[in-house]
Amino acid sequence: MRQTLLEAGDRMEEGLPEAEPSVSTWDRISNLKTMAWEAYKRKPISHWILLALSSAAMLVAFPASSLLSRVYYNNGGTSKWIISWVAVAGWPLTALILLPTYFFLKTYPTPLDLKLTLSYIVLGFLSAADNLMYAYAYAYLPASTAALIASSSLVFSALFGYAIVNNKLNASMINALVIITAAMTIIALDSDSDRYSNVTDKQYIMGFVWDILGSALHGLIFALSELVFVRLLGRRSFHVVLEQQVMVSLFAFVFTTIGMVVSKDFQGMKSEAKTFEGGASAYYQVLIWGAITFQLGILGSTAVLFLASTVMAGVLNAVRVPITSIAAVILLHDPMSGFKILSLIITFWGFASYIYGSSSVSKYSPS
């Protein structure tokens, strides 16, 4: 005891800082509660209500859209173009949300020059291709498996963001990318346990490959969209984010509609509706609600990014993967093997590691 006091006295005489006392877990929890309460008081109640609604839209609409895609194929639907068209057919819903913002926020539409228009056209074409790849994935894979594989888009988003936009990567984020890649490998090795009886080995492999390619393209689209903000728009206000979403969805809708016309799938919708399990009414309800839920998910994620942060969006994105998988098992009776459960846990662990790494980068990056 005497020696400890003498050492402390020596440190004070030498001007050295005293050793910081250890912080207990309860103190850390108390500090987090205090920080959360201070953050809550800094924003009006309307901000938190909108954030809660946006978060709910992400956690409900995206899984619902995924399940409806699988319901379409389970009940007799066969077209990949129709499902990819449904994903962008609801773009007017986002436009209806955008138009009032010009009046309430007293802003004007962003002027379209040649570079910005070309960027929207390219992103629209890539989005149309991305939706088509995911349509092939859901045609041959269970919804729970497709959702787990699609979570690999985080890996590609991080890599393309690092290469194209110079986003930072740290050890936790790289660890997350390796973990999620390992989870995808586990699913690939366990393909026999969740393959539908009417799906061949070749079709299952095609679904797996298209899901990975769609995830890679989704990561590229995310990085290019961020590049458009950095290089061409230079600002990230709510109405500008909505403008980009509307324009990209519009061009994706145009490209997908051309594909529908060429493949004559608009005419095929009538014959599919007649043979659809549950009748024509159920057929059109699946398509309509598929379009609505997908756009609501897009709107929710856009609002969360603007109202909170990319870390918050990452948390919700991580949570919706098990929600989709569990809902598919309960509602669609998807097979759930031990390997798939292990892959789900590892994927969630990977998301947590990436979110921790992202928060560290945000905390120490210069403002």
Side-chain angles (χ1 to χ4, degrees):
M1 180 70 175
R2 176 180 172 81
Q3 184 177 2
T4 304
L5 291 172
L6 288 173
E7 288 175 354
D10 290 340
R11 280 197 296 267
M12 291 178 66
E13 290 176 2
E14 294 172 6
L16 297 175
E18 293 190 49
E20 293 184 3
S22 59
V23 181
S24 67
T25 302
W26 289 112
D27 289 335
R28 291 177 180 175
I29 294 174
S30 178
N31 289 337
L32 288 174
K33 288 171 63 177
T34 303
M35 290 171 60
W37 178 248
E38 292 297 325
Y40 173 78
K41 291 193 296 183
R42 283 197 296 267
K43 300 288 185 180
I45 187 65
S46 57
H47 171 91
W48 299 109
I49 292 174
L50 185 57
L51 181 58
L53 292 175
S54 303
S55 302
M58 277 191 72
L59 295 179
V60 176
F62 273 139
S65 175
S66 300
L67 296 182
L68 287 169
S69 296
R70 190 57 240 177
V71 167
Y72 167 80
Y73 291 114
N74 281 352
N75 291 10
T78 58
S79 173
K80 284 65 174 187
W81 278 109
I82 288 177
I83 286 299
S84 58
W85 183 78
V86 163
V88 289
W91 71 268
L93 181 62
T94 308
L96 289 176
I97 302 296
L98 170 63
L99 292 176
T101 62
Y102 293 128
F103 298 99
F104 290 113
L105 301 179
K106 297 180 180 179
T107 58
Y108 297 94
T110 304
L112 283 174
D113 56 21
L114 182 60
K115 286 185 178 180
L116 189 57
T117 303
L118 287 176
S119 69
Y120 287 154
I121 292 173
V122 171
L123 287 172
F125 177 78
L126 294 178
S127 295
D130 190 42
N131 292 331
L132 187 59
M133 291 177 185
Y134 279 132
Y136 272 94
Y138 277 93
Y140 301 133
L141 300 176
S144 55
T145 303
L148 278 170
I149 298 172
S151 66
S152 64
S153 63
L154 178 64
V155 175
F156 297 106
S157 296
L159 295 177
F160 283 123
Y162 177 78
I164 297 174
V165 200
N166 296 322
N167 288 340
K168 294 181 180 179
L169 286 176
N170 57 26
S172 293
M173 297 167 77
I174 294 173
N175 176 61
L177 306 186
V178 174
I179 291 171
I180 294 173
T181 303
M184 300 306 103
T185 306
I186 291 174
I187 294 179
L189 295 174
D190 190 43
S191 59
D192 290 336
S193 68
D194 68 346
R195 180 170 56 84
Y196 289 125
S197 58
N198 62 333
V199 174
T200 65
D201 288 336
K202 182 179 179 180
Q203 288 175 328
Y204 185 94
I205 293 172
M206 283 179 58
F208 194 96
V209 171
W210 283 121
D211 210 351
I212 292 290
L213 290 176
S215 300
L217 187 55
H218 187 79
L220 177 61
I221 291 169
F222 190 86
L224 291 176
S225 299
E226 191 170 355
L227 185 65
V228 169
F229 278 110
V230 173
R231 296 285 179 84
L232 301 181
L233 295 173
R235 53 189 177 138
R236 200 184 283 263
S237 62
F238 186 58
H239 82 277
V240 172
V241 176
L242 282 180
E243 282 176 345
Q244 188 196 52
Q245 186 58 50
V246 169
M247 295 303 296
V248 171
S249 295
L250 171 60
F251 284 115
F253 175 77
V254 171
F255 286 120
T256 309
T257 301
I258 293 172
M260 287 279 289
V261 172
V262 172
S263 63
K264 298 182 180 179
D265 275 357
F266 280 120
Q267 296 92 318
M269 291 175 73
K270 293 182 179 180
S271 59
E272 274 195 348
K274 292 178 181 178
T275 59
F276 195 76
E277 186 177 336
S281 176
Y283 177 81
Y284 290 113
Q285 284 187 48
V286 167
L287 298 186
I288 291 170
W289 281 109
I292 293 173
T293 52
F294 190 84
Q295 287 301 313
L296 286 177
I298 292 293
L299 285 169
S301 60
T302 302
V304 168
L305 282 169
F306 179 74
L307 294 170
S309 64
T310 54
V311 176
M312 177 69 173
V315 171
L316 296 175
N317 202 46
V319 172
R320 76 180 177 92
V321 172
I323 289 177
T324 305
S325 299
I326 294 170
V329 171
I330 296 174
L331 300 177
L332 303 181
H333 308 292
D334 268 15
M336 180 62 79
S337 66
F339 280 107
K340 190 184 286 187
I341 294 174
L342 177 62
S343 178
L344 180 62
I345 295 171
I346 292 175
T347 300
F348 200 77
W349 174 23
F351 270 114
S353 179
Y354 188 87
I355 291 164
Y356 176 80
S358 298
S359 62
S360 299
V361 169
S362 300
K363 181 178 179 180
Y364 294 108
S365 61
S367 56

